[in-house]
Each structure stands twice: as C-alpha cells, then as structure tokens.
Amino acid sequence: MTRDPRHLLEDAGARDVPGPDAAFADALEARLRAVAVSAPPAAPVATAPTTRRQSFGWARPMLAGLVATAIVLAAIAQGGLAPQSPTPGLELSAAVNVTVQLPDGTTVENPEGMILPEGAIVTVGEGGSARIGNVTVNPGETVVVHGGRAQVERPRPSVSKTAAPTPSAGPQSAPPSGAIGSSEPGSSPDPSTPAESASPAPGTSADPSATPTPTPAATASPAPTPKPKPVVVLAPRLRVRLAAAHTIAVDWTRTAGAKSYVLLMTRSKVGVAPRPTYPGTRVLATFSKPPAAAVQFVLAPGVVQVKLLVVALDKNGHELGRSRIVRVIVVAPVATPSPSASPSAN
Amino acid sequence: MDEYRDAEDERALVERARADPSAFAELYRRYLPRVHAFAYRRTGRVEAAEDITSAAFERALRGLGQFQWQPGGFGPWLFRIVANELADQYRQAGRAASDRARGAVRQLAADHPDDPAELVQARDDVAEVLAAMNHLTPRYQKALSLRYLSGLSADEAAAAMGTSKATMAVVVFRATRALRQVMRKGGSA
C-alpha cells in the first residue's frame, strides 16, 4: 500500500462504473410495481426511516421546543440576535506548516487568522506549530474542532490490537480526544496534506483587485492643516491567483473598522461557477484579519472554475464592504490547455 | 433556479408516489443509475450491486410514508438506505466479503489489459482499501462510503448520514484514520 486511504477512496469514487443492466432494470421495476400494487398508499409520517426513532415520535416536537428555547435564551444572553456575529473563539494563529481541512474537504495551508469552523481538522506538520485560541498545537498533532472546542489528538504509539478499531464516541456526545490511535510520529499525519505549492504560474496572476477603493486625499499643500484626513478603506481588495495545479492563493487588504472577514467561494466542475452572494452562498472560511501571506486553498479534483468574494464585517457582524467577485479558471477548456486566472467581469 | 425547479419537481414526485405507490417508478428511474453505481463502487461486483440496489429500492418504496421532506430532497434519504444495506451486507458477510471484493476488483483490473502497470497497481490499492473498510464499524463504513463512493456532495452526504456537515467531517476524519490503522496492521489481508 503506497497511497493514503483518503486518496484511494476519492479515486474509487471518481471511477467510471458500468451502468445497470437493462434487463435487471426492467425486472426490478416490474417487481417494484408488484410491490406497489400490494402495498397500501403510504400514510405520511413525520419521522426518519430509522425504526428506533419511531417509538419516540412524541419527543421530537418537545425536543424542538427545548432547542428553540435554548437558542433564544443563548441569544439573549449574548446581547441580541445580531446576524453572523463573529465569535473569534477558535482563531488559528502562529500557524507554521499547518494544514486545515474544512468540513467540505477543502484544505487550506497556514490560514493565519482563520476562525476555525465546526468540523475543521487542523494538522501540524513536522517542524510546524500553531495556536488555536489558547491551545498550542505541536508537530504531529491534529486538532478536531467539535462541539465548539478544539480537541487535540496527539499521536500515540500503535497499540497491538487484532480487532477492528474502537469506534469513537458519536458526534452527538462529546467524543474523547485520541479515541483511536493516530499516525506514527514522523510519518505524514494527515492525508489531506497537499503538496507544497509551486511558485506562481507565470501569467496567472492577473490582478483582479480592481476594486474601486477610495483614494486618500492628496493633501500636498504645504499650508498647515489642522489634522490629516484619515484613510478610509471601505472595501477589501481581493487577490486570487493560481499557485499550482488545483491550488489557489488568496489574500485581501484590510478594511477600516472590520472585525472579521468572510470568504465565500463557489465552485463548478462542469463550467461556469455560480455567482457568490452574501448572505446566501456558503461561507468557506472566516478570518479575524486579512492573511499576512496569501492563504492557499487546495481545490478538489475536477473543479474547473471558482469564484470568490470577501466581505468585511464589523463587530456586530454587519457588512462594512465587499470585494469584487474574482473568477479563477482552474482548468482551461480543451482548446486552451494552460491554466489561467482572471478577474470576473461580474 | 434549475436546482430549485428540480427540487420542486422531485417533491411533487414524492408526494405522488406516496399517494399512489405505482408512481414510484419515476423516482426509481431517476435514481437507479446513481444507486447502482454507488453499490457497485462499494462492492466491486455486479451481482452484489444489483442485490443492494433491489433491496434499497424496495425498502424505500415500503418506507416512503416515513420519509419527511428535507433540504437535500429525496436523494440523501435514499442513499442512506443504500448505505445501510451495504453496511448490513458487510456485517453479515464478515471477512469473507473482503476477499471477494478484493478479488472482484483485481478481476476488474484484468479486464483492462491496455492499462499501464501503475493503473493496475492503483486498482489493487483501491481493492485493498475497500476490503479494509469491512473492518470498520458500520457507522464509519457508512460515513466513508457516503462521502466518497456515493457521488453525493458533502452537504448531501451529511444529510444522508443524518448529521450536520461539520459532524460528518469529523466522523469521516476519524473513520479515515481508523481505516489507515487497519491497513497498517494488514487488516485487509
């Protein structure tokens, strides 16, 4: 075995498979029709298909009510119901040789300042380090963000067991960290670690940052001015370039008064990526500040185009400004095989 | 907009099938290729894929009354049934299934004599990882197969699993780690 299981599974999932045999399809349809004739019309029941839950159908409305009450109480306790209120509790800082895998499988390299979302998996490579909130993560360690907490899963020496690995606690209950033995020290701790990105491809760094930002007033007058006009930046300037095959480098400028930045990305595997909208489009990541160096996102195989947008928010989560939408063609059409990046016209 | 129209269309189909089970055929035709492909990718055998497909559709038809419309639509619910069927099958078949699956995928590699040696090796590796999955808990098996083999998006796979996307990511991470450990110990052998 030479490759990581995750990559092997991705290969298995992308593999072409034979379609169902026509005779089988017809036979099964006939059988289903026969079953349908013998079965009475289904009475709609508001439960999931698992049989265990059916006997507790009464509990669902009660549980929903309790959850709703808890949410309202929590919101009141936090001082209101501000939308998208940034809570930089699990902020990644001092990130060196760090890979973050987001819940959708996207991996990011050294995303300094990223507010880690629920489900994020942070891996520190050899010689690297990171801080998440007030937790220091050392080389070889992995952190799983779950239940609003950063659970450090340190590598353990392999325990000789013959049975299948012990299942960790389900995600509904707080799972213990290190429930399963981890990778050996010194070995690559996580499958998601992408290759180091190459230098920027020539001709791919078409600067999309044509955001009309207000220019500071050129006060060249030698006359004594009572006070200098402050530089007011109303919108972040987003820059995206192809750093390597299926890796994009993203950074943006600071916006005055912004307490967090929301990065949105839409992807397409077939052609034109949808236009990112805020609010509305899935948030790829939230940052407390613009990255000091370009953050590198490794895209899933098959993605041919992405569009990105960054929105600056104030301390209450209200929008201060937004960048232009930047489009990146990850894989050029057949006629033009070289990858290119270009600012979106929209 | 098309997605919205498709979802509305599918919702109408589901409602019709609830009232008249014979209308289920349209849902069946819509999902048959994807369900069969999912089952085939996991099992590596046509016969097993057909068994799983049959059982899953029949179970879906009988359980349609219990389906509650969800944002992902009918698909995640159906794929959840397929994943359950797959996990059940491997639980019953035990270790013997892993040998069969590996043999089946090796046979697949032999069906493509034009492939370069690397591709054959890759197929063998895939067979090994699929066989190693049999040693995981049913929950981990379901998570990995839904995430990687079903063709569903991350959102849909989480919906099929009955979890949030964040929780799904954590489960998949732990399942992958467990899988790696099984493979390191030679559990798939």
Side-chain angles (χ1 to χ4, degrees):
Chain A
M1 176 58 53
T2 56
R3 298 175 60 204
D4 191 87
R6 179 172 164 235
H7 296 140
L8 291 170
L9 286 170
E10 284 174 347
D11 284 354
R15 182 169 294 174
D16 285 336
V17 294
D21 180 62
F24 162 73
D26 291 344
L28 178 55
E29 184 171 343
R31 202 171 96 215
L32 289 173
R33 284 185 187 281
V35 171
V37 168
S38 64
V45 181
T47 54
T50 41
T51 52
R52 243 191 321 179
R53 291 184 183 172
Q54 286 174 15
S55 56
F56 295 103
W58 55 270
R60 295 185 67 139
M62 181 184 288
L63 189 62
L66 286 172
V67 169
T69 307
I71 289 170
V72 169
L73 287 174
I76 292 169
Q78 287 188 354
L81 289 165
Q84 298 282 335
S85 179
T87 52
L90 291 178
E91 180 183 335
L92 181 68
S93 58
V96 178
N97 197 11
V98 170
T99 302
V100 178
Q101 184 180 335
L102 299 173
D104 68 347
T106 306
T107 54
V108 197
E109 298 282 335
N110 300 322
E112 181 79 17
M114 176 186 272
I115 297 167
L116 298 168
E118 182 75 5
I121 294 156
V122 182
T123 305
V124 177
E126 278 187 53
S129 64
R131 284 186 68 80
I132 300 172
N134 53 9
V135 176
T136 302
V137 192
N138 298 312
E141 291 181 343
T142 298
V143 172
V144 176
V145 178
H146 193 54
R149 293 186 297 119
Q151 301 169 4
V152 181
E153 310 205 353
R154 294 182 169 83
R156 288 179 176 180
S158 183
V159 180
S160 62
K161 281 164 66 177
T162 52
T166 311
S168 65
Q172 310 305 336
S173 60
S177 56
I180 300 168
S182 186
S183 54
E184 296 164 357
S187 66
S188 178
D190 189 81
S192 62
T193 307
E196 284 297 319
S197 62
S199 58
T204 60
S205 59
D207 186 356
S209 56
T211 309
T213 52
T215 53
T219 55
S221 168
T225 51
K227 51 183 177 182
K229 286 188 176 180
V231 176
V232 180
V233 181
L234 298 177
R237 296 174 64 190
L238 174 64
R239 294 198 308 168
V240 186
R241 61 185 169 80
L242 266 178
H246 281 90
T247 302
I248 55 171
V250 182
D251 65 346
W252 59 90
T253 57
R254 182 180 165 276
T255 301
K259 295 299 179 192
S260 65
Y261 299 85
V262 172
L263 181 64
L264 303 108
M265 179 163 70
T266 56
R267 285 161 275 208
S268 173
K269 290 187 175 180
V270 292
V272 179
R275 182 186 174 89
T277 55
Y278 180 82
T281 305
R282 185 181 64 79
V283 172
L284 180 65
T286 304
F287 292 78
S288 63
K289 58 191 175 189
V295 177
Q296 299 202 343
F297 289 85
V298 181
L299 303 171
V303 172
V304 297
Q305 188 179 115
V306 296
K307 285 181 183 167
L308 295 104
L309 168 71
V310 66
V311 181
L313 305 176
D314 68 8
K315 63 180 180 182
N316 295 317
H318 297 131
E319 181 177 339
L320 290 174
R322 60 176 62 195
S323 70
R324 291 183 65 189
I325 294 171
V326 177
R327 181 188 64 191
V328 180
I329 299 170
V330 181
V331 177
V334 179
T336 54
S338 61
S340 66
S342 64
S344 173
N346 47 11
Chain B
M1 191 59 74
D2 283 347
E3 285 177 12
Y4 177 77
R5 197 168 57 229
D6 286 350
E8 288 302 302
D9 178 41
E10 186 171 278
R11 189 168 191 163
L13 268 178
V14 170
E15 291 304 324
R16 213 163 65 220
R18 271 178 164 164
D20 175 12
S22 62
F24 184 77
E26 198 162 340
L27 282 169
Y28 162 75
R29 282 193 290 268
R30 180 177 285 199
Y31 278 97
L32 173 65
R34 291 173 61 192
V35 166
H36 183 270
F38 177 26
Y40 184 84
R41 285 195 183 104
R42 177 67 183 94
T43 61
R45 290 184 303 138
V46 172
E47 303 81 22
E50 290 180 350
D51 286 350
I52 296 290
T53 304
S54 302
F57 274 112
E58 195 169 327
R59 204 167 140 195
L61 174 59
R62 293 185 188 280
L64 197 60
Q66 294 160 6
F67 169 63
Q68 189 180 26
W69 186 260
Q70 49 191 308
F74 177 74
W77 182 77
L78 178 62
F79 276 81
R80 182 181 186 171
I81 292 174
V82 181
N84 282 336
E85 288 290 338
L86 284 164
D88 284 350
Q89 193 208 353
Y90 281 109
R91 192 161 36 201
Q92 288 162 9
R95 287 170 188 250
S98 66
D99 298 334
R100 282 204 305 273
R102 190 169 44 188
V105 182
R106 282 203 173 115
Q107 194 178 343
L108 274 179
D111 289 343
H112 297 269
D114 295 337
D115 287 346
E118 292 82 9
L119 190 53
V120 174
Q121 177 62 43
R123 288 174 186 280
D124 217 31
D125 288 347
V126 168
E128 198 166 345
V129 80
L130 293 175
M133 277 176 67
N134 304 337
H135 296 261
L136 302 181
T137 63
R139 178 177 171 78
Y140 280 179
Q141 285 186 40
K142 276 189 277 186
L144 290 179
S145 58
L146 283 169
R147 181 67 183 90
Y148 293 114
L149 306 178
S150 67
L152 297 175
S153 68
D155 286 315
E156 291 169 332
M161 193 73 184
T163 67
S164 69
K165 196 164 76 171
T167 299
M168 180 69 170
V170 173
V171 175
V172 166
F173 166 74
R174 291 189 168 137
T176 308
R177 193 173 53 181
L179 183 63
R180 192 178 303 122
Q181 197 172 28
V182 169
M183 293 169 73
R184 197 177 293 146
K185 290 175 185 170
S188 61

